[in-house]
Amino acid sequence: MADSFWDRHGLYGVMAEFAEPEELLAAAEKAYGFGYRKMDAYTPLPIEGLSDAIGFTRTFVSTFVLIGGSLGCMGGFGLLYWITKIAYAHNVAGRPFNSWPAYIPVTFECTVLLASLTAVIGMFALNGLPQPYHPVFNNPEFSARASIDRFFLCIEATDPSFDLVKTKAFLAEQNPLEVAEIEK
Amino acid sequence: MTLAEQFKRIQRMAAIVGVLGLALCLIELFVDRAQFFQSYLFAFIFWNGLTVGSLAVYLLHNVVGGNWGAVIRRFVEAGARTLPLTFVLLLPILLFGIPLIYSWAQPEAAHDANIQFKSPYLNIPGFIMRAVVYFLIWGFYTYRLTRLSDAQDRTGDPMIQERMRRLSTFGLLIFVLTATFAFIDWIMSLEPHWYSTIYGAMFLVGQMLETLAFCIILLVLFSKRKPFVQVLNYQHFHDLGNLMLAFTMLWAYTSLSQFLIIWAGNLPEEIPWYIRRFTGGWGYLGWFIGVFHFCVPFVILLMRFVKKNPNLLYKVAIYMFFVRFIDIFWIVEPALRQRRFYVHWMDIVAPIGVGGVWIAFFLWQLSSRPLLPLHDARLGYLPLETEAAELT
């Protein structure tokens, strides 16, 4: 344990730089097939199928939104039910106290409100933003061009099958422009 | 069997079913003429909905673009080009049916002050003339746009897309107005005392939903075939599934708006529309539509894997098509059935007869032109290439 910790201390991962999106996509698919799981791809533009290639197939934001929306729905309906049926039960134009059609607009608005709030908050909670420091920026090439015209794949040192020598060799085979070690 | 032969075979089958169905309906013409026209109107509204909905989706896509529409463009073009047929199908109602189903055209209406007040609009010559004008306007846009589309196939001139867009922008405006008036004439005036301002939008959205479901069914059926297999990917189905979800929600939104306002007002000239549709057994149908036309498809279509899987989406589209059928039945027929729920055998046979003829005509139109537009820039959509090209 101590030995491996020492080995990996100070190393965030190994990063390969590609000139074309197709190369990054192919490398990501190979890396996933090779058994790497803890990795991330960085590109200046959305690439179809890339998130699938690195095994990022599912986020929990949609689950949060579903829960938030359901709570908003029940909350909005419950609020109006409580007001018109229990707390302030007044006869309005001879309608029943529980006049559910009149609740629908408020119920709908509360659903949308809570769903969108959980979407925003859940997104921030899950993607770790705001993040003032990230190791990948230690690579000067990355800082300079990752948001302009270069495509990067970083296999992280915390991956169980990570091995500095083997992983570097693996990435070097994927036709990159450069392979770099990234400090923590 | 080649695609052309298969087309011919299905077309012939549909035509035979259609003609047999309509012939069977003629029996009812001698038994109970009012009943015949009640069911025939329902059948006409349902299948004409595909024609009108096709034109609506076509105009909309010409204006807003998107590659979902490029793959169904020939379907909606062929759908809109069934206008001559649906006009012929409307003729029996125009020529013989009006006094039998529309209460404002019956002798008792002479003693009704409310209807008398509306008679400058609700009269038989006006009704016929307006119907002709609607079809002329819709036909003009269909003719011009599909001619431009043909020219695009021949020449590949990229400016044609722009010309179609410009024509459709104003066309969409005219179309929504004429469609609103058409629905007011044909369906809303079944209950001449009643009115609702969102009615046209509600009906049009429903018919566009019907058309989208129809196009998805066709697209999945064709998806393994030659021109389609090269361009289709799951993104097209995802987009169309999302559109179907959006139109399901829009349908619910307009339907509920109408219901909520009328329910809250509870006024004697407005509420009978819902009383007729929620008493005497019709209420079961109303609740069925609320649950199975909105709640169930809404939850199903929220799930992404359904929209990305053509086989699942196909089943949902067939289901939506079926529920649209029931919804139109529930909107049209209670007006004519005196708060008593029943399904006449004509209510099933007439839509089959009209539908058979419609499908045969539609397939004829579809097979007379290439199944995919030949020079639509939106078909060769490759996100990687286009976006990388923009960067450099």
Side-chain angles (χ1 to χ4, degrees):
Chain A
M1 171 70 198
D3 192 38
S4 73
F5 175 76
W6 184 248
D7 273 346
R8 293 172 186 185
H9 185 68
L11 185 68
Y12 175 73
V14 181
M15 183 184 262
E17 179 183 358
F18 298 96
E20 298 294 334
E22 292 83 2
E23 293 171 355
L24 170 64
L25 194 61
E29 274 164 2
K30 277 229 182 87
Y32 192 84
F34 209 72
Y36 292 116
R37 292 295 177 270
K38 292 225 130 211
M39 59 179 159
D40 217 338
Y42 304 86
T43 89
L45 52 96
I47 296 177
E48 183 94 40
L50 184 60
S51 51
D52 289 334
I54 60 168
F56 187 78
T57 48
R58 174 168 174 75
T59 85
F60 287 95
V61 174
S62 54
T63 316
F64 283 0
V65 173
L66 181 68
I67 295 169
S70 309
L71 285 177
C73 179
M74 289 186 284
F77 195 93
L79 174 72
L80 282 180
Y81 183 84
W82 176 75
I83 290 172
T84 56
K85 175 94 189 221
I86 298 165
Y88 302 95
H90 290 298
N91 182 345
V92 179
R95 292 200 183 82
F97 292 135
N98 175 22
S99 288
W100 61 267
Y103 303 170
I104 290 177
V106 173
T107 306
F108 174 73
E109 296 298 341
C110 287
T111 308
V112 173
L113 178 70
L114 250 73
S116 43
L117 277 180
T118 41
V120 174
I121 295 168
M123 182 266 289
F124 277 115
L126 290 176
N127 68 12
L129 286 175
Q131 196 168 18
Y133 173 78
H134 197 286
V136 287
F137 289 97
N138 290 335
N139 181 358
E141 189 65 9
F142 182 92
S143 307
R145 305 186 75 165
S147 54
I148 302 173
D149 61 351
R150 287 292 154 82
F151 304 84
F152 295 86
L153 180 69
C154 182
I155 298 180
E156 289 159 28
T158 48
D159 192 286
S161 38
F162 182 85
D163 180 284
L164 183 54
V165 179
K166 282 186 190 160
T167 306
K168 273 182 89 169
F170 167 79
L171 283 176
E173 283 165 21
Q174 309 307 321
N175 194 23
L177 296 174
E178 189 189 64
V179 176
E181 295 170 25
I182 308 293
E183 281 174 39
K184 251 190 194 149
Chain B
M1 210 185 321
T2 66
L3 195 59
E5 285 168 4
Q6 241 171 339
F7 257 113
K8 276 263 157 13
R9 210 169 59 105
I10 299 172
Q11 199 180 323
R12 195 163 343 114
M13 246 158 50
I16 291 170
V17 169
V19 170
L20 278 182
L22 287 179
L24 213 61
C25 294
L26 286 180
I27 300 171
E28 186 65 21
L29 199 54
F30 297 104
V31 179
D32 184 351
R33 292 180 68 187
Q35 177 62 52
F36 170 85
F37 278 107
Q38 279 182 25
S39 302
Y40 184 80
L41 177 74
F42 161 58
F44 168 77
I45 295 295
F46 180 77
W47 287 101
N48 185 59
L50 277 180
T51 306
V52 176
S54 292
L55 185 54
V57 173
Y58 188 37
L59 289 167
L60 186 69
H61 175 252
N62 283 339
V63 174
V64 301
N67 51 40
W68 57 271
V71 290
I72 61 166
R73 196 165 112 192
R74 282 293 135 87
F75 301 157
V76 289
E77 280 177 1
R81 281 161 69 108
T82 57
L83 272 171
L85 173 77
T86 54
F87 183 70
V88 171
L89 288 171
L90 181 65
L91 280 180
I93 297 175
L94 291 183
L95 298 179
F96 311 108
I98 299 173
L100 288 166
I101 36 179
Y102 294 100
S103 65
W104 49 261
Q106 286 160 359
E108 298 89 72
H111 312 295
D112 191 317
N114 189 317
I115 297 178
Q116 279 309 305
F117 178 72
K118 293 177 181 174
S119 63
Y121 185 86
L122 286 180
N123 55 70
I124 294 175
F127 188 94
I128 295 171
M129 235 161 55
R130 284 195 304 272
V132 172
V133 170
Y134 305 145
F135 273 94
L136 282 178
I137 291 173
W138 298 341
F140 166 76
Y141 279 104
T142 306
Y143 179 75
R144 282 294 308 279
L145 287 168
T146 52
R147 283 309 285 277
L148 279 173
S149 185
D150 286 340
Q152 193 190 31
D153 269 5
R154 273 197 313 278
T155 63
D157 181 359
M159 277 311 290
I160 291 179
Q161 197 100 55
E162 181 58 22
R163 281 176 63 194
M164 289 171 76
R165 193 179 68 81
R166 274 191 221 143
L167 187 62
S168 302
T169 312
F170 195 61
L172 198 58
L173 202 69
I174 303 273
F175 170 78
V176 171
L177 278 174
T178 47
T180 302
F181 276 102
F183 299 142
I184 289 174
D185 281 7
W186 300 340
I187 320 160
M188 198 161 118
S189 82
L190 288 169
E191 289 146 291
H193 293 113
W194 182 80
Y195 58 88
S196 156
T197 46
I198 206 169
Y199 194 81
M202 178 182 85
F203 223 86
L204 191 57
V205 165
Q207 309 217 301
M208 287 172 85
L209 179 59
E210 183 185 329
T211 307
L212 280 171
F214 182 69
C215 287
I216 290 173
I217 294 170
L218 281 180
L219 196 62
V220 176
L221 288 176
F222 279 116
S223 61
K224 298 275 179 339
R225 293 295 194 147
K226 239 274 173 87
F228 289 91
V229 76
Q230 290 144 338
V231 292
L232 278 184
N233 58 43
Y234 73 91
Q235 196 61 42
H236 290 118
F237 291 104
H238 191 199
D239 287 350
L240 284 166
N242 273 335
L243 269 174
M244 199 154 73
L245 172 66
F247 273 90
T248 305
M249 290 171 71
L250 202 55
W251 171 87
Y253 178 83
T254 49
S255 305
L256 187 84
S257 302
Q258 177 180 298
F259 171 72
L260 201 59
I261 290 166
I262 290 179
W263 173 86
N266 202 18
L267 298 172
E269 63 265 35
E270 288 177 345
I271 199 75
W273 199 84
Y274 281 105
I275 293 178
R276 267 180 226 118
R277 279 157 186 79
F278 276 100
T279 51
W282 289 104
Y284 297 112
L285 218 52
W287 281 104
F288 175 88
I289 289 163
V291 173
F292 291 99
H293 195 310
F294 173 66
C295 301
V296 169
F298 174 73
V299 172
I300 292 176
L301 286 171
L302 268 186
M303 290 181 275
R304 195 173 295 175
F305 75 92
V306 177
K307 290 177 279 193
K308 288 190 173 176
N309 181 337
N311 293 326
L312 286 177
L313 197 63
Y314 176 68
K315 288 178 186 139
V316 180
I318 290 179
Y319 167 84
M320 279 320 290
F321 196 71
F322 173 71
V323 215
R324 282 301 307 145
F325 184 75
I326 295 179
D327 181 48
I328 290 181
F329 184 71
W330 182 75
I331 286 184
V332 174
E333 293 302 333
L336 301 158
R337 298 206 172 160
Q338 318 307 330
R339 295 173 72 170
R340 200 164 62 81
F341 174 73
Y342 63 91
V343 179
H344 197 265
W345 64 267
M346 272 281 297
D347 296 333
I348 309 295
V349 177
I352 291 175
V354 174
V357 177
W358 193 92
I359 294 274
F361 197 91
F362 171 82
L363 287 178
W364 173 52
Q365 285 299 329
L366 187 63
S367 59
S368 63
R369 307 160 78 225
L371 284 173
L372 277 174
L374 301 180
H375 295 288
D376 194 324
R378 292 167 295 212
L379 277 179
Y381 177 77
L382 292 166
L384 281 176
E385 282 182 15
T386 47
E387 288 176 34
E390 276 162 23
L391 262 163
T392 47

